[in-house]
Amino acid sequence: MKTFSEVYAALRRKNRGQYGLLAGCCFFSVLLITAYACMMRSPTILTILPEGGDSRKQVVMVFVLAVLGCAVFTTYAAGLFFRQKSRATGVFLALGASRGQLRRELVKELTLIAFGSCAAGAALGAPLAWAVWQGFRTFLVDSQEMPLSFDPQAYLLALAFSAYVVVMLFTLAARFIRRTNIIDIVQESHKSEPIRTVPRWYGPAGILLMLLGAVLGYMMPTFFVKVLHWYASGAVDALFYLPALAGLYMVLLHTVVNGWRRGANRYKHIISVSMMKFQGRQTVRNMLVMTLLIAGAYFASFYAPMLSTSSENAYAARPIDYEYHWRADQSLPQRDEVQALAEETNVEITSWAQQGAAVLGKDGTYSIETDTGFGTTYTTAYAKLLHGATFFSESAYNALTGQDVDIPAGACANILDDEGGSGYLSGGDATHLTNMATGAELDVTPIEPLRYTMLLGCYVLDDIDYAVLTEGLTDVWREEYVFFNVTDVENSYPFAKALFDEIVDRSGPEVEVGDYYDDVAAALAAQAGEVYDYSPEAAASRGLFTPEYSDRDSSGFRNYWKYMPQFRILDQNDFVTTMAVFLMLFIFIAIVCFAAVIVIAFTRCMTIALVNARVYDDLRHLGASNGYLFRSVRGQISRVFLVPALVGTGLIWIFYMMIMYFNGDPLGFTRSELAGMGACLIVVAAVSALLYLVYRVTRKSVCRALHIHS
């Protein structure tokens, strides 16, 4: 070796593990972010997730957590890399090497690591997403909406994260080279990052702050909208979660420095606890990242069991096997045609109820929005004729539902679900009604709502009031509802599918609209010479799903067509294929986040072997038994795994329970929600078992690196 570069290269070969760790961390982080971004921005996904909907917001929220987690992870890996290089760098400086020589060699290394690992991660991100998605299609479920396509613009997010990694590496390198004190550089790798004394009240106070932040973060957006009439930006809403983040940090600090044991037992694990303290800052950072990623992963993984369980319970709770309705100007199957189709498919119809309903205009309040520098504010105004709803006479309602309600003259009852909730899906109380064909009007008094999920959002009037107000209505403003049961619903799927196809085939283009379409609002817009915001053309331009009869088996059509029938067996059997994209997307997100947790935990634990190797060797020479050394390693590794798992799981579980409790009106838990949370507990148990398995593998790897028998 005759040149400085050759000496530097020889040293690099000897310490290839340091370079491999840094390159691997950068590669893995960019790989995960690229795969997530490709999925999140895929046209396949965006077509299904409604613009501004909760599902899309959840996807973005977990993506932000993943970005923050991977950013902290790569920064930690880079910091560890430079700490490990400090001794060799200090020796080179002491032997007369110039900073320019070191800078040139370091730039060569980082250029290769940064651009190589980022380029490889970005290049393989889309294939990884495609491979996982194809695995879902092959082994779980496939549907006509599942073919995956990517938007090239998704790579802008991957490029932005890669740019962060590159800039971060070169910034830390520049700061590393600028250091002037050679002794400090030489001793850098031996310096610890201990945490100062942490009061014991940090633990309880941190728990209280986490609970406070969860409550404030969830409740304040509603407070802004309902009380202050202000649509605050997402950044403002996110500020109220900061107490939870601060509380989480305090809990982790308390756990690392003090632990939760009191009395004499605190000295039982003094070696492992002291090692954790002397690397406290790094440990807490890693735990914080892991906790956030575990919480985000569980939040995504709860989507599938909650949706599946609640839907299954809802289908089973329906009192009617088959329901369909249509606008009266449409020529849909009548009773004799349905009976003939049932006989062809060996299905016996046991009951039949058919009643008419009317679409009437109703009053309501609307928002007048004003854009400001702090978001959008609004005021409300009242209109006697604002939108429409479906109205039944009391006799028609009783005939369909089997109930016996008596609506007083001049009264109007709203229909909620079977548990008296889902008021947000109804039009609220109605006090002024309008016949859209004749212009006749009627003032009514709201009374206690009725309960019948299958007619959620409709209204019921007194028979005489209904007859007077609906006189002169044309077929465009009338609807027909059919309820019927069959003897063996579980074996009636061929009949259900055939009847569904017949209904779609005989529906005209004028009713090829989404459930957001309001006939009354459309008529008012036409009278005013304006474009209706929810017409098929306008809705499509705004990113809303627009049903098409040719896509009748798609999740969008099944979920959003205004006249979609409710066939119990059809909904049950086609649930997985109908909701496949939703379910698989959130499963994919959970897999990405849990994979990041596993890699971060494994990397952090392996650094224990690297950083504390001399300590364990000294303990061995002082007479420490193999069992003692094993218990010490186990104490450290178990904290790295156990604390984030417990805190992250507990935090998201409490938050999810709070969402379920406040989600309905009245407040509380429904039977479906309780069943869904039970299914989520099974997910928690399965993931906990997986993390425990990874913990055992990691512990064995660390012990092998430290020459400790496990």
Side-chain angles (χ1 to χ4, degrees), residues 288-351:
L288 182 62
V289 171
M290 289 175 59
T291 303
L292 292 177
L293 285 175
I294 287 174
Y298 272 127
F299 193 82
S301 62
F302 286 170
Y303 185 90
M306 282 297 299
L307 181 61
S308 302
T309 305
S310 61
S311 298
E312 184 63 30
N313 287 340
Y315 301 149
R318 288 180 186 173
I320 302 297
D321 296 333
Y322 287 81
E323 179 276 332
Y324 69 101
H325 61 284
W326 66 92
R327 210 167 76 176
D329 62 341
Q330 303 294 302
S331 178
L332 261 65
Q334 300 296 319
R335 182 172 186 175
D336 56 345
E337 297 174 276
V338 175
Q339 182 66 50
L341 183 60
E343 293 174 357
E344 291 177 8
T345 52
N346 298 318
V347 172
E348 180 183 353
I349 297 176
T350 59
S351 66

Side-chain angles (χ1 to χ4, degrees), residues 581-605:
V581 174
F582 284 97
L583 299 175
M584 296 306 104
L585 170 64
F586 282 94
I587 292 175
F588 176 86
I589 292 171
I591 290 175
V592 168
C593 290
F594 280 126
V597 169
I598 290 172
V599 171
I600 292 173
F602 181 83
T603 304
R604 176 57 190 158
C605 290

Side-chain angles (χ1 to χ4, degrees), residues 58 103 191 195 197 208 229 309 341 353 379 428 449 474 495 497 507 523 539 547 549 600-601 656 692 694:
Q58 292 172 16
R103 183 181 298 107
K191 289 183 179 179
I195 302 176
T197 302
L208 292 177
H229 290 192
T309 305
L341 183 60
T379 57
T474 60
F495 165 72
K497 188 65 171 67
S507 297
Y549 294 145
I600 292 173
Y656 217 80
Y692 178 74
V694 174

Side-chain angles (χ1 to χ4, degrees), residues 475-547:
D475 285 346
V476 173
W477 301 104
R478 292 187 181 274
E479 293 183 345
E480 288 290 323
Y481 276 74
V482 169
F483 285 10
F484 68 92
N485 292 311
V486 299
T487 52
D488 187 5
V489 66
E490 296 300 325
N491 292 318
S492 65
Y493 181 81
F495 165 72
K497 188 65 171 67
L499 180 56
F500 169 66
D501 288 335
E502 188 72 12
I503 289 171
V504 175
D505 290 338
R506 292 169 61 170
S507 297
E510 56 273 14
V511 294
E512 194 176 14
V513 294
D515 58 1
Y516 47 76
Y517 186 87
D518 189 319
D519 296 276
V520 171
L524 294 175
Q527 292 175 8
E530 301 173 350
V531 176
Y532 177 47
D533 289 340
Y534 295 97
S535 64
E537 298 79 12
S541 66
R542 296 171 58 192
L544 295 176
F545 179 83
T546 52

